[in-house]
Coordinates of all heavy atoms in Angstrom, one line a residue:
M1 N 210.7 15.5 132.2 CA 209.9 16.3 131.2 C 209.8 15.5 129.9 O 210.7 14.7 129.6 CB 210.7 17.6 131.0 CG 209.9 18.5 130.0 SD 210.1 20.2 130.5 CE 209.7 21.0 129.0
V2 N 208.7 15.8 129.2 CA 208.4 15.1 128.0 C 209.2 15.7 126.9 O 209.3 16.9 126.8 CB 206.9 15.2 127.7 CG1 206.5 14.4 126.5 CG2 206.1 14.6 128.9
S3 N 209.7 14.9 126.0 CA 210.5 15.4 124.9 C 209.6 15.9 123.7 O 208.5 15.5 123.6 CB 211.5 14.4 124.4 OG 210.8 13.4 123.7
R4 N 210.2 16.7 122.9 CA 209.5 17.3 121.8 C 209.0 16.1 120.8 O 207.9 16.2 120.3 CB 210.4 18.3 121.0 CG 209.8 18.8 119.8 CD 210.7 19.8 119.1 NE 210.4 20.1 117.7 CZ 209.5 21.0 117.3 NH1 208.9 21.7 118.2 NH2 209.3 21.2 116.1
S5 N 209.9 15.2 120.6 CA 209.5 14.1 119.7 C 208.3 13.3 120.3 O 207.5 12.8 119.5 CB 210.7 13.2 119.5 OG 211.1 12.6 120.6
E6 N 208.2 13.1 121.6 CA 207.1 12.4 122.2 C 205.8 13.2 122.0 O 204.8 12.6 121.7 CB 207.3 12.2 123.7 CG 208.4 11.1 124.0 CD 208.7 11.0 125.5 OE1 208.8 12.1 126.1 OE2 208.7 9.9 126.0
V7 N 205.9 14.5 122.1 CA 204.7 15.3 121.9 C 204.2 15.3 120.5 O 203.0 15.1 120.2 CB 205.0 16.8 122.4 CG1 203.9 17.7 122.0 CG2 205.3 16.9 123.9
L8 N 205.2 15.4 119.5 CA 204.8 15.3 118.1 C 204.3 14.0 117.8 O 203.3 13.9 117.0 CB 206.0 15.7 117.3 CG 206.5 17.1 117.3 CD1 207.7 17.3 116.5 CD2 205.4 18.1 116.9
S9 N 204.8 12.9 118.3 CA 204.3 11.6 118.1 C 202.9 11.4 118.6 O 202.1 10.8 117.9 CB 205.3 10.6 118.7 OG 204.7 9.3 118.6
L10 N 202.6 12.0 119.7 CA 201.3 11.9 120.3 C 200.3 12.7 119.5 O 199.2 12.2 119.2 CB 201.3 12.4 121.7 CG 199.9 12.4 122.5 CD1 199.4 11.0 122.5 CD2 200.1 13.0 123.9
C11 N 200.7 13.8 119.0 CA 199.9 14.6 118.1 C 199.5 13.9 116.8 O 198.4 13.8 116.4 CB 200.5 16.0 117.8 SG 199.5 17.1 116.8
R12 N 200.5 13.3 116.2 CA 200.3 12.5 115.0 C 199.4 11.3 115.3 O 198.5 11.0 114.4 CB 201.6 12.0 114.4 CG 202.4 13.1 113.7 CD 203.5 12.6 112.9 NE 204.5 11.9 113.7 CZ 205.6 12.4 114.2 NH1 205.8 13.7 114.1 NH2 206.4 11.7 115.0
A13 N 199.6 10.7 116.4 CA 198.7 9.5 116.8 C 197.2 9.9 116.9 O 196.3 9.2 116.5 CB 199.2 8.9 118.0
L14 N 197.0 11.1 117.5 CA 195.6 11.6 117.7 C 195.1 12.0 116.3 O 193.9 11.7 116.0 CB 195.6 12.8 118.6 CG 195.6 12.5 120.1 CD1 196.0 13.7 120.9 CD2 194.3 12.0 120.5
L15 N 195.8 12.6 115.5 CA 195.3 12.9 114.1 C 195.1 11.7 113.3 O 194.1 11.6 112.6 CB 196.3 13.8 113.4 CG 196.5 15.2 113.9 CD1 197.6 15.9 113.3 CD2 195.2 16.0 113.8
R16 N 195.9 10.6 113.4 CA 195.7 9.4 112.7 C 194.4 8.7 113.2 O 193.7 8.1 112.4 CB 196.9 8.4 113.0 CG 197.7 8.2 111.7 CD 198.8 7.2 111.9 NE 200.0 7.9 112.2 CZ 200.8 7.9 113.3 NH1 200.4 7.1 114.3 NH2 201.8 8.7 113.4
A17 N 194.2 8.7 114.5 CA 193.0 8.1 115.1 C 191.8 8.8 114.6 O 190.8 8.1 114.2 CB 193.1 8.1 116.6
G18 N 191.8 10.1 114.5 CA 190.7 10.9 114.0 C 190.4 10.6 112.5 O 189.2 10.6 112.1
R19 N 191.4 10.3 111.7 CA 191.2 10.1 110.3 C 190.5 8.7 110.0 O 190.0 8.5 108.9 CB 192.6 10.1 109.5 CG 193.0 11.5 109.2 CD 194.1 11.5 108.2 NE 195.2 10.6 108.6 CZ 196.4 11.0 109.1 NH1 196.6 12.3 109.3 NH2 197.4 10.2 109.4
Q20 N 190.5 7.9 111.0 CA 190.0 6.5 110.8 C 188.4 6.5 110.9 O 187.8 5.5 110.5 CB 190.6 5.5 111.8 CG 192.0 5.3 111.5 CD 192.6 4.3 112.5 OE1 192.0 4.0 113.5 NE2 193.9 4.0 112.3
Y21 N 187.8 7.6 111.5 CA 186.4 7.6 111.6 C 185.7 7.7 110.3 O 186.1 8.5 109.4 CB 186.0 8.8 112.5 CG 186.2 8.6 114.0 CD1 187.3 9.1 114.6 CD2 185.3 7.9 114.7 CE1 187.5 8.9 115.9 CE2 185.5 7.7 116.1 CZ 186.6 8.3 116.7 OH 186.8 8.1 118.0
P22 N 184.7 6.9 110.0 CA 184.0 7.0 108.7 C 183.1 8.2 108.6 O 182.9 8.6 107.5 CB 183.2 5.7 108.7 CG 183.1 5.2 110.1 CD 184.2 5.8 110.8
D23 N 182.8 8.9 109.7 CA 181.9 10.0 109.6 C 182.7 11.3 109.5 O 183.6 11.6 110.2 CB 181.0 10.1 110.9 CG 180.0 11.1 110.9 OD1 179.8 11.8 109.9 OD2 179.3 11.3 111.9
Y24 N 182.3 12.1 108.5 CA 183.0 13.3 108.2 C 183.0 14.3 109.4 O 184.1 14.9 109.7 CB 182.3 14.0 107.0 CG 182.8 15.4 106.7 CD1 184.0 15.6 106.0 CD2 182.1 16.5 107.2 CE1 184.5 16.9 105.7 CE2 182.6 17.8 106.9 CZ 183.8 18.0 106.2 OH 184.2 19.3 106.0
N25 N 181.9 14.5 110.0 CA 181.8 15.4 111.1 C 182.7 15.0 112.3 O 183.4 15.9 112.9 CB 180.4 15.5 111.7 CG 179.5 16.2 110.7 OD1 179.9 17.2 110.0 ND2 178.2 15.8 110.6
I26 N 182.8 13.7 112.6 CA 183.7 13.3 113.7 C 185.2 13.4 113.3 O 186.0 13.8 114.1 CB 183.4 11.8 114.1 CG1 181.9 11.8 114.6 CG2 184.3 11.3 115.1 CD1 181.4 10.4 114.9
R27 N 185.5 13.1 112.0 CA 186.9 13.3 111.5 C 187.3 14.8 111.7 O 188.4 15.0 112.2 CB 187.0 12.9 110.1 CG 187.1 11.4 109.8 CD 187.5 11.2 108.4 NE 186.8 11.9 107.4 CZ 185.7 11.4 106.8 NH1 185.3 10.2 107.1 NH2 185.1 12.1 105.8
E28 N 186.5 15.7 111.2 CA 186.8 17.1 111.3 C 186.9 17.6 112.7 O 187.7 18.4 113.1 CB 185.8 17.9 110.5 CG 186.0 17.7 109.0 CD 187.4 18.1 108.5 OE1 187.9 19.1 108.8 OE2 188.0 17.2 107.8
Y29 N 186.0 17.1 113.6 CA 186.0 17.5 115.0 C 187.2 17.1 115.7 O 187.9 17.9 116.4 CB 184.7 17.0 115.7 CG 184.8 17.2 117.2 CD1 184.5 18.5 117.7 CD2 185.2 16.2 118.1 CE1 184.6 18.7 119.1 CE2 185.3 16.4 119.5 CZ 185.0 17.7 119.9 OH 185.1 17.9 121.3
T30 N 187.6 15.8 115.5 CA 188.8 15.3 116.2 C 190.1 16.1 115.7 O 191.0 16.4 116.4 CB 189.0 13.8 116.0 OG1 189.0 13.5 114.6 CG2 187.9 13.0 116.7
K31 N 190.1 16.3 114.4 CA 191.3 17.1 113.8 C 191.3 18.5 114.4 O 192.4 18.9 114.9 CB 191.1 17.2 112.3 CG 192.2 18.0 111.6 CD 191.9 18.0 110.1 CE 192.7 19.1 109.4 NZ 192.3 19.2 108.0
R32 N 190.2 19.2 114.4 CA 190.1 20.6 115.0 C 190.5 20.6 116.5 O 191.3 21.4 116.9 CB 188.8 21.2 114.7 CG 188.6 22.6 115.1 CD 187.3 23.2 114.8 NE 186.2 22.5 115.5 CZ 185.3 21.7 115.0 NH1 185.2 21.5 113.7 NH2 184.4 21.2 115.8
R33 N 189.9 19.6 117.2 CA 190.1 19.6 118.7 C 191.6 19.3 119.0 O 192.2 19.8 119.9 CB 189.2 18.5 119.3 CG 189.3 18.3 120.7 CD 188.8 19.6 121.5 NE 188.9 19.4 122.9 CZ 190.0 19.9 123.6 NH1 190.9 20.5 123.1 NH2 190.0 19.6 124.9
T34 N 192.2 18.4 118.2 CA 193.6 18.0 118.5 C 194.5 19.2 118.2 O 195.3 19.5 119.0 CB 194.0 16.8 117.5 OG1 193.2 15.7 117.9 CG2 195.4 16.5 117.7
L35 N 194.3 19.8 117.0 CA 195.2 20.9 116.7 C 195.0 22.1 117.6 O 196.0 22.7 118.0 CB 195.0 21.3 115.2 CG 195.4 20.3 114.2 CD1 195.0 20.8 112.8 CD2 196.9 20.0 114.3
D36 N 193.8 22.4 118.0 CA 193.5 23.5 119.0 C 194.2 23.2 120.3 O 194.7 24.1 120.9 CB 192.0 23.7 119.1 CG 191.4 24.3 117.9 OD1 192.1 24.8 117.0 OD2 190.1 24.4 117.9
G37 N 194.0 22.0 120.8 CA 194.6 21.6 122.1 C 196.1 21.7 122.1 O 196.7 22.3 123.0
F38 N 196.8 21.3 121.0 CA 198.2 21.4 121.0 C 198.7 22.8 120.8 O 199.7 23.2 121.4 CB 198.8 20.4 119.9 CG 198.9 19.0 120.4 CD1 197.9 18.1 120.3 CD2 200.1 18.6 121.0 CE1 198.0 16.8 120.8 CE2 200.2 17.3 121.4 CZ 199.2 16.4 121.3
R39 N 198.0 23.6 120.0 CA 198.3 25.0 119.9 C 198.1 25.8 121.2 O 198.9 26.7 121.5 CB 197.4 25.7 118.8 CG 197.9 25.3 117.4 CD 197.0 26.0 116.4 NE 197.3 25.5 115.1 CZ 196.4 25.1 114.2 NH1 195.1 25.2 114.5 NH2 196.8 24.6 113.0
M40 N 197.1 25.4 121.9 CA 196.8 26.1 123.2 C 198.0 25.8 124.2 O 198.3 26.7 125.0 CB 195.5 25.6 123.8 CG 195.1 26.3 125.0 SD 193.5 25.7 125.6 CE 193.8 24.1 126.1
N41 N 198.5 24.6 124.1 CA 199.6 24.3 125.1 C 201.0 24.4 124.6 O 201.9 24.0 125.3 CB 199.3 22.8 125.6 CG 198.0 22.7 126.4 OD1 197.7 23.6 127.2 ND2 197.3 21.6 126.2
K42 N 201.2 24.9 123.4 CA 202.5 25.0 122.9 C 203.5 25.9 123.6 O 204.7 25.7 123.5 CB 202.5 25.3 121.4 CG 202.3 26.8 121.1 CD 202.4 27.1 119.6 CE 202.2 28.5 119.4 NZ 202.3 28.8 117.9
N43 N 203.0 26.8 124.4 CA 203.9 27.7 125.1 C 204.1 27.4 126.6 O 204.7 28.2 127.3 CB 203.4 29.2 125.0 CG 203.4 29.7 123.6 OD1 204.3 29.3 122.8 ND2 202.4 30.5 123.2
L44 N 203.7 26.2 126.9 CA 203.9 25.8 128.3 C 205.4 25.5 128.6 O 206.1 24.9 127.8 CB 203.1 24.5 128.6 CG 201.6 24.5 128.7 CD1 201.0 23.1 128.9 CD2 201.1 25.5 129.7
T45 N 205.8 26.1 129.7 CA 207.2 25.9 130.1 C 207.4 25.1 131.4 O 208.4 24.5 131.6 CB 208.0 27.2 130.2 OG1 207.3 28.1 131.1 CG2 208.0 27.9 128.8
D46 N 206.4 25.2 132.3 CA 206.5 24.5 133.6 C 206.4 23.0 133.4 O 205.5 22.5 132.8 CB 205.3 25.0 134.4 CG 205.4 24.4 135.8 OD1 206.4 24.0 136.3 OD2 204.3 24.3 136.5
P47 N 207.5 22.3 133.8 CA 207.5 20.8 133.5 C 206.3 20.1 134.1 O 205.8 19.1 133.4 CB 208.7 20.3 134.2 CG 209.6 21.6 134.3 CD 208.7 22.7 134.4
S48 N 205.7 20.5 135.2 CA 204.6 19.8 135.8 C 203.3 20.0 134.9 O 202.5 19.1 134.6 CB 204.3 20.2 137.2 OG 203.9 21.6 137.2
K49 N 203.2 21.2 134.3 CA 202.1 21.6 133.4 C 202.2 20.8 132.1 O 201.2 20.3 131.6 CB 202.0 23.1 133.2 CG 201.7 23.9 134.4 CD 200.2 24.0 134.6 CE 200.0 25.0 135.8 NZ 198.7 24.9 136.3
V50 N 203.4 20.7 131.6 CA 203.7 20.0 130.4 C 203.3 18.5 130.6 O 202.7 17.9 129.7 CB 205.2 20.2 129.9 CG1 205.5 19.2 128.8 CG2 205.4 21.6 129.6
N51 N 203.8 17.9 131.7 CA 203.5 16.5 131.9 C 202.0 16.3 132.1 O 201.4 15.3 131.6 CB 204.2 16.0 133.1 CG 205.7 15.9 132.9 OD1 206.1 15.7 131.8 ND2 206.5 16.0 133.9
E52 N 201.3 17.2 132.7 CA 199.9 17.1 132.9 C 199.1 17.2 131.6 O 198.2 16.4 131.3 CB 199.4 18.3 133.8 CG 197.9 18.3 134.2 CD 197.6 19.4 135.1 OE1 198.3 19.7 136.0 OE2 196.6 20.1 134.8
A53 N 199.5 18.1 130.7 CA 198.9 18.2 129.4 C 199.2 17.0 128.6 O 198.3 16.5 127.8 CB 199.4 19.5 128.7
F54 N 200.4 16.5 128.7 CA 200.7 15.3 127.9 C 199.9 14.1 128.4 O 199.4 13.3 127.6 CB 202.2 15.0 128.1 CG 202.7 13.8 127.2 CD1 203.0 14.0 125.9 CD2 203.0 12.6 127.8 CE1 203.5 13.0 125.1 CE2 203.4 11.5 127.0 CZ 203.7 11.7 125.7
A55 N 199.7 13.9 129.7 CA 198.9 12.8 130.2 C 197.5 13.0 129.8 O 196.8 12.0 129.5 CB 199.0 12.8 131.8
E56 N 197.0 14.2 129.8 CA 195.6 14.4 129.3 C 195.4 14.0 127.8 O 194.5 13.4 127.5 CB 195.2 15.9 129.5 CG 193.8 16.3 129.0 CD 192.7 15.6 129.7 OE1 192.9 15.2 130.9 OE2 191.6 15.4 129.1
A57 N 196.4 14.4 127.0 CA 196.4 14.0 125.6 C 196.4 12.5 125.4 O 195.7 12.0 124.5 CB 197.5 14.7 124.8
K58 N 197.3 11.8 126.2 CA 197.3 10.4 126.1 C 196.0 9.8 126.5 O 195.5 8.8 125.9 CB 198.4 9.8 127.0 CG 199.8 10.0 126.4 CD 200.8 9.3 127.2 CE 200.9 7.9 126.7 NZ 202.1 7.2 127.0
A59 N 195.4 10.3 127.5 CA 194.0 9.8 127.9 C 193.0 10.0 126.8 O 192.2 9.1 126.5 CB 193.6 10.5 129.2
Q60 N 193.1 11.2 126.1 CA 192.2 11.5 125.0 C 192.4 10.5 123.8 O 191.5 10.1 123.2 CB 192.3 12.9 124.5 CG 191.8 13.9 125.5 CD 190.3 13.8 125.8 OE1 189.5 13.5 124.9 NE2 189.9 13.9 127.0
L61 N 193.7 10.1 123.6 CA 194.0 9.2 122.6 C 193.4 7.8 122.9 O 192.8 7.2 122.0 CB 195.5 9.0 122.4 CG 196.0 8.0 121.4 CD1 195.5 8.3 120.0 CD2 197.5 7.9 121.4
M62 N 193.5 7.4 124.1 CA 192.9 6.1 124.5 C 191.4 6.1 124.3 O 190.8 5.2 123.9 CB 193.3 5.7 125.9 CG 194.7 5.3 126.1 SD 195.1 4.6 127.7 CE 195.0 6.0 128.7
V63 N 190.7 7.3 124.7 CA 189.3 7.4 124.5 C 188.9 7.4 123.0 O 188.0 6.7 122.6 CB 188.8 8.7 125.2 CG1 187.4 9.0 124.8 CG2 188.9 8.6 126.7
A64 N 189.7 8.1 122.2 CA 189.4 8.1 120.8 C 189.5 6.7 120.2 O 188.7 6.3 119.3 CB 190.3 9.1 120.1
E65 N 190.5 6.0 120.6 CA 190.7 4.6 120.0 C 189.6 3.7 120.5 O 189.1 2.9 119.7 CB 192.0 4.1 120.4 CG 193.2 4.8 119.7 CD 194.6 4.4 120.2 OE1 194.6 3.8 121.3 OE2 195.5 4.6 119.5
R66 N 189.1 3.8 121.7 CA 188.1 3.0 122.3 C 186.7 3.3 121.5 O 186.0 2.4 121.1 CB 187.9 3.3 123.8 CG 187.7 2.0 124.6 CD 187.7 2.2 126.1 NE 187.3 3.5 126.6 CZ 188.2 4.3 127.3 NH1 189.4 4.0 127.5 NH2 187.8 5.5 127.7
V67 N 186.4 4.6 121.4 CA 185.2 5.0 120.7 C 185.2 4.6 119.2 O 184.2 4.2 118.7 CB 185.0 6.5 120.8 CG1 183.9 7.0 120.0 CG2 184.7 6.9 122.3
L68 N 186.4 4.6 118.6 CA 186.5 4.2 117.2 C 186.2 2.7 117.1 O 185.4 2.4 116.1 CB 187.9 4.5 116.7 CG 188.2 4.0 115.3 CD1 187.3 4.8 114.3 CD2 189.7 4.2 114.9
K69 N 186.6 1.9 118.0 CA 186.3 0.5 117.9 C 184.8 0.3 118.0 O 184.2 -0.5 117.2 CB 187.0 -0.3 119.0 CG 188.5 -0.4 118.8 CD 189.2 -1.1 120.0 CE 190.7 -1.1 119.8 NZ 191.4 -1.6 121.0
V70 N 184.1 1.0 118.9 CA 182.7 0.8 119.0 C 182.0 1.4 117.8 O 181.1 0.8 117.3 CB 182.2 1.6 120.3 CG1 180.7 1.6 120.4 CG2 182.7 0.9 121.5
Y71 N 182.5 2.5 117.3 CA 181.9 3.1 116.1 C 182.0 2.2 114.9 O 181.0 2.1 114.1 CB 182.5 4.5 115.9 CG 181.7 5.4 115.0 CD1 180.7 6.2 115.5 CD2 181.9 5.4 113.6 CE1 180.0 7.0 114.7 CE2 181.2 6.2 112.8 CZ 180.2 7.0 113.3 OH 179.4 7.8 112.5
L72 N 183.1 1.6 114.7 CA 183.3 0.7 113.6 C 182.5 -0.6 113.8 O 182.1 -1.2 112.8 CB 184.8 0.4 113.4 CG 185.6 1.5 112.9 CD1 187.1 1.1 112.9 CD2 185.2 2.1 111.6
A73 N 182.2 -1.0 115.0 CA 181.5 -2.2 115.2 C 180.0 -2.0 114.9 O 179.3 -2.9 114.5 CB 181.6 -2.7 116.6
Y74 N 179.5 -0.8 115.2 CA 178.1 -0.4 115.0 C 178.0 0.8 114.1 O 177.7 1.9 114.6 CB 177.4 -0.2 116.4 CG 177.5 -1.3 117.3 CD1 178.4 -1.4 118.3 CD2 176.7 -2.4 117.1 CE1 178.5 -2.4 119.2 CE2 176.8 -3.5 118.0 CZ 177.7 -3.5 119.0 OH 177.8 -4.6 119.8
P75 N 178.3 0.7 112.8 CA 178.2 1.9 112.0 C 176.8 2.4 111.8 O 175.8 1.7 111.9 CB 178.8 1.4 110.6 CG 178.5 -0.1 110.7 CD 178.6 -0.5 112.1
P76 N 176.7 3.7 111.5 CA 175.4 4.3 111.3 C 174.8 3.8 110.0 O 175.5 3.4 109.0 CB 175.6 5.8 111.2 CG 177.1 5.9 110.8 CD 177.7 4.7 111.4
K77 N 173.5 3.7 109.9 CA 172.8 3.1 108.8 C 172.7 4.1 107.6 O 172.5 3.7 106.5 CB 171.4 2.6 109.2 CG 171.5 1.4 110.2 CD 170.2 0.9 110.5 CE 170.2 -0.2 111.5 NZ 171.3 -0.9 111.9
T78 N 172.7 5.4 107.9 CA 172.6 6.4 106.9 C 173.9 7.2 106.7 O 174.7 7.2 107.7 CB 171.5 7.4 107.2 OG1 171.8 8.0 108.4 CG2 170.2 6.7 107.3
K79 N 174.1 7.7 105.5 CA 175.3 8.5 105.3 C 175.1 10.0 105.6 O 173.9 10.5 105.5 CB 175.7 8.4 103.8 CG 176.3 7.0 103.5 CD 177.1 7.1 102.3 CE 177.8 5.8 102.0 NZ 179.2 5.8 102.2
N80 N 176.1 10.7 106.0 CA 176.1 12.1 106.2 C 175.9 12.8 104.9 O 176.4 12.3 103.8 CB 177.4 12.5 106.9 CG 177.4 13.9 107.3 OD1 176.8 14.8 106.7 ND2 178.1 14.2 108.4
I81 N 175.4 14.0 104.8 CA 175.2 14.7 103.6 C 176.5 15.0 102.9 O 176.6 15.1 101.7 CB 174.4 16.0 103.8 CG1 174.0 16.7 102.5 CG2 175.2 17.0 104.6 CD1 173.0 15.9 101.8
M82 N 177.6 15.1 103.7 CA 178.9 15.4 103.2 C 179.5 14.2 102.5 O 180.5 14.3 101.7 CB 179.9 15.9 104.3 CG 179.5 17.2 105.0 SD 179.4 18.5 103.8 CE 181.1 18.8 103.6
E83 N 179.0 13.0 102.7 CA 179.5 11.8 102.2 C 178.7 11.2 101.0 O 179.1 10.3 100.4 CB 179.6 10.7 103.3 CG 180.6 11.1 104.4 CD 180.4 10.3 105.6 OE1 179.4 9.6 105.8 OE2 181.4 10.3 106.4
V84 N 177.6 11.8 100.8 CA 176.7 11.4 99.7 C 177.3 11.9 98.4 O 177.6 13.1 98.2 CB 175.3 11.9 99.9 CG1 174.4 11.5 98.7 CG2 174.7 11.3 101.1
K85 N 177.5 11.0 97.4 CA 178.0 11.4 96.1 C 176.9 11.9 95.2 O 175.8 11.3 95.2 CB 178.7 10.2 95.5 CG 180.0 9.8 96.2 CD 180.7 8.7 95.5 CE 181.9 8.3 96.2 NZ 182.6 7.2 95.6
L86 N 177.2 12.9 94.5 CA 176.2 13.4 93.5 C 176.2 12.6 92.3 O 177.3 12.1 91.9 CB 176.5 14.9 93.2 CG 176.5 15.9 94.3 CD1 176.9 17.2 93.8 CD2 175.0 16.0 94.9
Q87 N 175.0 12.4 91.7 CA 175.0 11.5 90.5 C 174.9 12.3 89.3 O 174.5 13.4 89.2 CB 173.8 10.6 90.6 CG 173.9 9.6 91.8 CD 172.7 8.7 91.9 OE1 171.8 8.8 91.2 NE2 172.8 7.8 92.9

């Protein structure tokens, strides 16, 4: 069974990966999706279900890191309205 510290570490890693996106909408989506996913699974007691949820979260972390690399390599040419500074 996965320990509590491993789960918290994975949650922090997902939140950290989400904070690295330059786009506001993607940052907020990854934050919301991560917190919702961990809240949804916080009451799991069956070890096989816990391991399955942990494996799914690790897979999502790898996807987020891969997409981030591509996103940083090819940034959008325009800024989001939430990122435009008022003059």
Side-chain angles (χ1 to χ4, degrees):
M1 182 143 161
V2 181
S3 71
R4 176 180 164 83
S5 63
E6 289 175 312
V7 171
L8 291 175
S9 175
L10 180 59
C11 183
R12 283 191 301 268
L14 279 162
L15 290 172
R16 246 183 265 119
R19 280 196 305 260
Q20 293 177 356
Y21 284 97
D23 187 3
Y24 171 82
N25 289 327
I26 296 175
R27 279 195 311 267
E28 290 301 309
Y29 172 77
T30 55
K31 177 181 167 185
R32 186 178 63 246
R33 179 69 181 97
T34 298
L35 294 176
D36 288 348
F38 277 87
R39 284 183 189 132
M40 184 177 70
N41 293 324
K42 78 176 182 179
N43 295 325
L44 290 179
T45 55
D46 182 24
S48 64
K49 296 274 187 193
V50 171
N51 289 335
E52 183 179 316
F54 187 78
E56 176 64 27
K58 281 189 87 158
Q60 290 298 321
L61 175 61
M62 288 190 290
V63 168
E65 289 172 344
R66 223 174 24 245
V67 169
L68 178 63
K69 288 177 185 174
V70 171
Y71 198 86
L72 291 175
Y74 303 101
K77 295 185 186 336
T78 60
K79 288 198 175 250
N80 187 328
I81 190 70
M82 298 298 288
E83 297 167 340
V84 175
K85 293 184 180 180
L86 295 177
Q87 296 180 358

